[in-house]
Amino acid sequence: MAIRGVLWDIDDTLFDYAGADLAGMRDHLAAEGLPAAGPESVAEALRRWQELTVVHWRRFEAGGVDFREQRRERVRDFLGARDLGADEADGWFERYVAHYESAWELFPDAVPVLDLLARDYRHAVLSNSSIHNQERKLRVLGVRDRFEAVLCAAELGVAKPAAAAFHAACAALDLAPHEVAYVGDQPDIDARGAVEAGLRGVWLDRAGVGGRPELTRITDLHQLPALLCGDTRFGAPETFG
């Protein structure tokens, strides 16, 4: 059956999260007077921050800590300051976010492809974040009105790759899973999770990592319109694997 709707991931799919993350960490460390001025040390600090993000997000997913407290715990671990108070941790995180947000940009292919798909498909967002974060991000970037709904793990109580997350987003579009494609940058969380939930999963492999021949893979959003309308020259595992 033809695809009638597209569900989108945001970070590193439409929005250059990695680029903003690196620039934000660089500027934040400099402003805080922390010793990570060179490119390699900034990248290492960012890698450590990302690792802590995964650790504490998993605690949040498991119900061991609330959304705000998992952010505080990330800051405490990053600074090696377990006695840091809630207000101090919140302040540090908010200053980091300000530097990060100043570097926000959509990928160059995002708006042109959203324009191309606007007439023929219904659109929504499914993100493993919170509505507060992602609604604001989409508004600042000028694309919130492109999506009928924005669904996020923090409010759903379930995160990708759980089938329930994908099914909730399909229900928001009033479409069956087999009528919906999901586009995201994570091969397992996004593409494989979508396929296992009965959607058409599309892995957006911007870095050209390759492999994973079992997944439908594209390397640029400009390849998506042809894929959705059934042109198997784009997105077929044999073509891009």
Side-chain angles (χ1 to χ4, degrees):
M1 184 174 290
I3 296 297
R4 298 175 57 199
V6 183
L7 289 174
W8 296 87
D9 177 54
I10 298 177
D11 297 338
D12 285 326
T13 297
L14 296 171
F15 158 65
D16 186 2
Y17 175 86
D21 216 14
L22 185 62
M25 181 60 71
R26 179 196 65 219
D27 295 345
H28 182 57
L29 293 177
E32 297 289 308
L34 295 173
E40 291 184 4
S41 55
V42 171
E44 175 60 24
L46 179 60
R47 183 194 62 77
R48 186 158 56 92
W49 177 253
Q50 292 170 337
E51 289 175 352
L52 291 170
T53 298
V54 171
V55 168
H56 291 291
W57 184 262
R58 286 176 178 164
R59 292 180 61 216
F60 164 70
E61 285 183 326
V65 65
D66 67 25
F67 184 76
R68 195 168 185 84
E69 189 59 26
Q70 62 87 21
R71 297 195 318 191
R72 293 169 180 153
E73 289 293 294
R74 271 192 277 162
V75 173
R76 292 174 182 131
D77 282 355
F78 183 78
L79 297 176
R82 296 301 307 163
D83 59 348
L84 195 68
D87 289 345
E88 293 174 294
D90 289 343
W92 193 96
F93 188 87
E94 287 163 7
R95 294 191 298 276
Y96 160 71
V97 168
H99 288 112
Y100 159 66
E101 290 184 357
S102 71
W104 280 2
E105 287 186 332
L106 293 168
F107 284 106
D109 56 2
V111 169
V113 172
L114 286 170
D115 285 344
L116 284 171
L117 299 177
R119 185 184 64 182
D120 297 323
Y121 303 92
R122 299 175 63 189
H123 299 268
V125 162
L126 174 61
S127 169
N128 275 2
S129 183
S130 71
I131 290 287
H132 173 76
N133 288 340
Q134 301 298 54
E135 280 268 8
R136 181 171 176 275
K137 184 184 294 177
L138 292 171
R139 292 187 191 283
V140 169
L141 293 169
V143 293
R144 173 60 185 89
D145 61 347
R146 306 299 186 102
F147 308 102
E148 295 182 35
V150 176
L151 292 89
C152 294
E155 291 72 28
L156 285 174
V158 63
K160 300 176 297 181
F166 292 102
H167 292 166
C170 292
L173 290 175
D174 196 25
L175 294 173
H178 64 263
E179 297 177 296
V180 179
Y182 189 87
V183 183
D185 68 292
Q186 295 295 319
D188 291 313
I189 292 173
D190 294 329
R192 184 175 61 81
V195 170
E196 291 181 352
L199 290 75
R200 182 165 192 182
V202 180
W203 174 27
L204 176 59
D205 179 18
R206 289 190 181 277
V209 174
R212 306 302 299 271
E214 76 280 11
L215 299 177
T216 298
R217 173 176 168 260
I218 59 176
T219 57
D220 186 292
L221 286 180
H222 288 295
Q223 296 164 354
L224 184 62
L227 173 64
L228 294 177
C229 70
D231 186 340
T232 57
R233 290 177 300 167
F234 299 101
E238 295 80 12
T239 303
F240 290 103

